[in-house]
Amino acid sequence: YKRQLESIVERPAEKRQLYARLEPLLPEDVILASNTSTISIGRLAAELSDPGRFCGLHFFHPVARRALVEVVRGPQTSDETVATLVNHARRIGKIPIVVSDGPGFLVNRLLLPYLNEALELLLDGASIEQIDRTATEFGMATGPIGLMDEIGLDTVLMGGMVLHEAFPDRIPASPLLIGLVKAGRLGRKSGAGFLSYFEANGTDRPSQPDPVFERILARWARPRQHFTPTQLLGRLLLPMVLEATRILEEGKVRDARAIDLGVLFGLGFPRFR
């Protein structure tokens, strides 16, 4: 079988413009998939002549260390397209889960509340070190602040805005994240995000504390609070748990096992938990 995977910036208009140029060039038996992390597949497929062969195929960062792939079924995606992409994911050594269309799909809909709460904790006075240490001591593969620097703050912001539009009551637009992106601090790829990075022996290592970050944070910081590790952990994880119950109630996945697979292999959630 043949397939074409789109993986450009997370802007619906630019993706649709690409499909308008690409679809006429593709033979009828070629599947067109998108690696979008948050944008509705139905929305992206709206102007395609054959939306049945369009599907989401979302890989996770870093791809080499994340076994999961979300196969996202749009409103008009055919069963044959879904089955073909599930088979393709297995052939390349990945674990596919089929999820229904919707903002954030499964994994990013669980991830964004977790990342958002980390941003809120920074504004409430918790330190980067406290937040990330709490997460990694619990067993997460990476702390939320370090993870955002790895993903890229511009990418996190674009994904967050999609979720904000869909769920404004629980995913606010973070002024801190917006301020960092406006300052050109996009994470590890730009040399600075929440942390600054410098080259040492061919590797980049985070430098902390960062006075530039502290100045940006101070613009929106609230009265400082003090947190116990238990309080920090509850703030980080409970929004994720609550979102998981909503996903189950909405029937976005077949059962709770899909959510377990999503957090284990897509988010690096500790298996022993």
Side-chain angles (χ1 to χ4, degrees):
Y1 49 84
K2 302 172 184 178
R3 58 220 168 258
Q4 183 79 31
L5 179 64
E6 167 272 314
S7 186
I8 65 170
V9 293
E10 286 288 275
R11 296 190 184 97
E14 293 186 34
K15 289 179 182 290
R16 287 196 296 265
Q17 289 171 9
L18 175 64
Y19 305 154
R21 297 198 307 271
L22 187 60
E23 189 182 26
L25 304 177
L26 300 179
E28 292 182 0
D29 61 342
V30 173
I31 290 173
L32 176 59
S34 174
N35 187 46
T36 180
S37 58
T38 52
I39 303 170
S40 164
I41 295 302
R43 182 180 178 189
L44 293 178
E47 298 174 16
L48 292 175
S49 61
D50 183 8
R53 65 170 172 172
F54 185 71
C55 194
L57 191 66
H58 178 217
F59 293 79
F60 293 89
H61 185 90
V63 174
R65 299 205 305 268
R66 291 285 182 265
L68 193 78
V69 174
E70 285 179 316
V71 179
V72 187
R73 180 193 291 272
Q76 296 176 277
T77 304
S78 71
D79 291 342
E80 180 182 5
T81 295
V82 171
T84 300
L85 290 180
V86 165
N87 184 47
H88 171 64
R90 288 175 176 153
R91 286 182 61 184
I92 61 174
K94 299 294 186 181
I95 299 171
I97 55 172
V98 178
V99 301
S100 296
D101 195 13
F105 314 134
L106 169 62
V107 174
N108 274 325
R109 189 166 159 187
L110 296 172
L111 174 64
L112 265 297
Y114 169 70
L115 299 182
N116 182 71
E117 200 59 37
L119 294 167
E120 291 296 301
L121 283 167
L122 286 172
L123 296 178
D124 284 336
S127 70
I128 291 174
E129 182 183 9
Q130 285 176 312
I131 294 168
D132 276 5
R133 184 176 67 244
T134 296
T136 54
E137 287 182 352
F138 175 76
M140 298 295 283
T142 309
I145 305 300
L147 179 60
M148 284 188 273
D149 267 356
E150 282 284 348
I151 295 171
L153 303 195
D154 51 343
T155 301
V156 174
L157 178 60
M158 286 187 284
M161 293 308 293
V162 172
L163 272 291
H164 171 68
E165 290 176 7
F167 313 112
D169 57 325
R170 56 185 188 267
I171 305 290
S174 171
L176 175 57
L177 189 59
I178 293 170
L180 289 168
V181 171
K182 284 184 175 179
R185 296 176 67 97
L186 307 182
R188 189 180 291 270
K189 64 185 178 183
S190 70
F194 292 95
L195 303 175
S196 290
Y197 299 86
F198 61 93
E199 293 294 327
N201 299 323
T203 61
D204 55 338
R205 299 176 182 175
S207 175
Q208 188 180 343
D210 183 335
V212 176
F213 168 75
E214 295 296 336
R215 286 198 297 271
I216 295 172
L217 174 63
R219 298 176 193 170
W220 296 282
R222 298 185 281 258
R224 187 177 183 84
Q225 300 180 43
H226 297 279
F227 300 96
T228 67
T230 300
Q231 289 171 326
L232 286 173
L233 194 60
R235 286 276 301 263
L236 288 171
L237 296 184
L238 286 175
M240 186 188 297
V241 174
L242 290 170
E243 204 62 38
T245 66
R246 296 183 181 104
I247 290 169
L248 281 174
E249 289 172 352
E250 295 168 13
K252 293 295 185 182
V253 293
R254 182 175 297 177
D255 52 36
R257 182 174 177 272
I259 291 179
D260 288 341
L261 288 172
V263 296
L264 287 174
F265 296 106
L267 296 183
F269 199 88
R271 298 186 188 195
F272 63 92
R273 300 289 187 184

